[in-house]
Amino acid sequence: MSADVELQNVSVSFGNFYAAKDVSVKIEKGEFFSFLGPSGCGKTTLLRAISGFSEPSDGKILIGSQDMAGIGPNKRPTSLIFQNLALFKRMSAIDNILVGRKLHSHANFLDVAIQLPKARKEEKVNMKKCEEIVKFLEIEKIKDTPVGKLPYGLQKRVELGRALATEASLLLLDEPMAGMNVEEKREMCRFILEVNEEYGTTMVLIEHDMGVVMDISDRVVVLDYGKIIGDGPPEEVRTNQNVIDAYLGVSHGE
Ligand code: ATP
């Protein structure tokens, strides 16, 4: 398998403080990969750097062998699901999903405004794709409901739908299950696993619920103070002494 994402000696600093320090990791195509670690260890910092919302202060990020330096988030083959909901609350579920599709559109504003055949054809294709996503995520019944009126778990599912509509080959999930009840978490896990299996989308997940991470990941990288302290399949990481110590707060005198 080829590496889909490669972090080469990536550091991210804020002034003199390093939120991530010399992190090197390769994520394979189609892998379900998770970053785990205590609060403040640098997980979101790395996800933002991969997505292009921030740039590393040192090192390189490659996606599909291409150096991402200077390439903004909309130009990367990634879609980031934020920790907090980022949907248009008054718009329907399907219209929110369509927003993701627009990022994929080749027709420009003028084409759409004067209804050129190219734009009309693309609108049709976009709508068909969105309907497919609605079906896949089992949200047919609520597709016309304003998302602000939906329970939190369903809103997050719509957000997943919007990410799918961009057809990104790499999905970055920043605590997609935060604030969910057990049933909502179970449903969200089911859908993100299905996306991974059905579309072969590479997944990079941050999640505080250790049980969830261990259940659904192929591989887990554990960070502490911005550095990698464990890397492997869940069953291996679970018994890694450095990881156990980090969670129990044992000092190694570093
Ligand atoms: P959590 O699990 O609580 O979300 P995290 O592992 O995602 O934490 P980050 O959000 O990556 O951690 O933060 C890593 C460190 O970098 C923290 O100490 C945080 O306070 C610091 N940090 C993050 N963003 C900034 C910023 N813009 N300016 C200064 N420090 C920052």
Side-chain angles (χ1 to χ4, degrees):
M1 274 201 286
S2 58
D4 201 14
V5 185
E6 190 170 353
L7 273 58
Q8 295 179 346
N9 308 100
V10 168
S11 296
V12 181
S13 62
F14 300 105
N16 293 330
F17 172 73
Y18 279 86
K21 183 87 179 137
D22 205 21
V23 173
S24 291
V25 73
K26 283 184 188 174
I27 302 169
E28 306 296 339
K29 209 165 182 44
E31 193 167 34
F32 203 120
F33 177 97
S34 296
F35 282 121
L36 190 67
S39 189
C41 69
K43 305 180 292 293
T44 300
T45 299
L46 287 174
L47 216 61
R48 284 176 61 79
I50 297 170
S51 65
F53 284 97
S54 68
E55 286 282 338
S57 23
D58 265 307
K60 265 190 196 173
I61 295 177
L62 310 178
I63 300 181
S65 310
Q66 195 192 347
D67 189 347
M68 289 290 121
I71 298 178
N74 290 338
K75 297 261 186 303
R76 296 191 182 193
T78 58
S79 190
L80 173 65
I81 296 193
F82 294 91
Q83 215 161 336
N84 301 314
L85 271 173
L87 292 169
F88 297 103
K89 299 250 172 182
R90 291 188 187 178
M91 274 166 51
S92 68
I94 194 152
D95 282 345
N96 268 282
I97 294 172
L98 203 52
V99 170
R101 201 60 210 159
K102 299 283 180 195
L103 291 173
H104 201 70
S105 178
H106 297 297
N108 63 32
F109 175 72
L110 198 61
D111 292 342
V112 175
I114 59 177
Q115 286 278 291
L116 284 183
K118 182 173 98 180
R120 254 181 288 152
K121 192 170 165 213
E122 202 159 288
E123 281 290 305
K124 256 193 187 168
V125 172
N126 284 345
M127 201 32 109
K128 187 162 175 273
K129 183 76 197 169
C130 289
E131 293 284 359
E132 276 169 28
I133 292 170
V134 162
K135 194 161 174 240
F136 177 78
L137 294 176
E138 300 170 11
I139 49 175
E140 292 101 323
K141 282 193 184 138
I142 55 94
K143 71 174 184 175
D144 296 317
T145 308
V147 287
K149 295 204 165 141
L150 297 173
Y152 184 71
L154 276 178
Q155 292 192 31
K156 271 314 230 191
R157 212 187 297 173
V158 172
E159 212 178 359
L160 177 62
R162 192 178 55 188
L164 292 183
T166 67
E167 295 196 36
S169 58
L170 174 64
L171 212 54
L172 307 166
L173 303 146
D174 192 355
E175 292 186 44
M177 284 161 253
M180 286 189 181
N181 62 37
V182 175
E183 186 52 35
E184 288 173 331
K185 275 189 191 181
R186 205 184 345 253
E187 284 284 277
M188 192 67 176
C189 278
R190 173 163 78 87
F191 285 110
I192 60 177
L193 270 173
E194 277 180 19
V195 170
N196 175 244
E197 281 160 16
E198 197 120 324
Y199 297 105
T201 311
T202 308
M203 303 295 214
V204 181
L205 171 75
I206 296 178
E207 178 54 53
H208 272 280
D209 188 325
M210 181 111 67
V212 166
V213 172
M214 295 300 184
D215 269 359
I216 68 179
S217 310
D218 296 320
R219 185 168 148 224
V220 181
V221 157
V222 188
L223 299 163
D224 196 24
Y225 296 106
K227 289 185 182 169
I228 294 178
I229 57 162
D231 179 353
E235 56 279 12
E236 205 174 292
V237 162
R238 205 193 296 269
T239 53
N240 178 320
Q241 195 56 46
N242 288 336
V243 174
I244 295 165
D245 291 352
Y247 273 95
L248 296 175
V250 175
S251 167
H252 288 278
E254 288 172 294

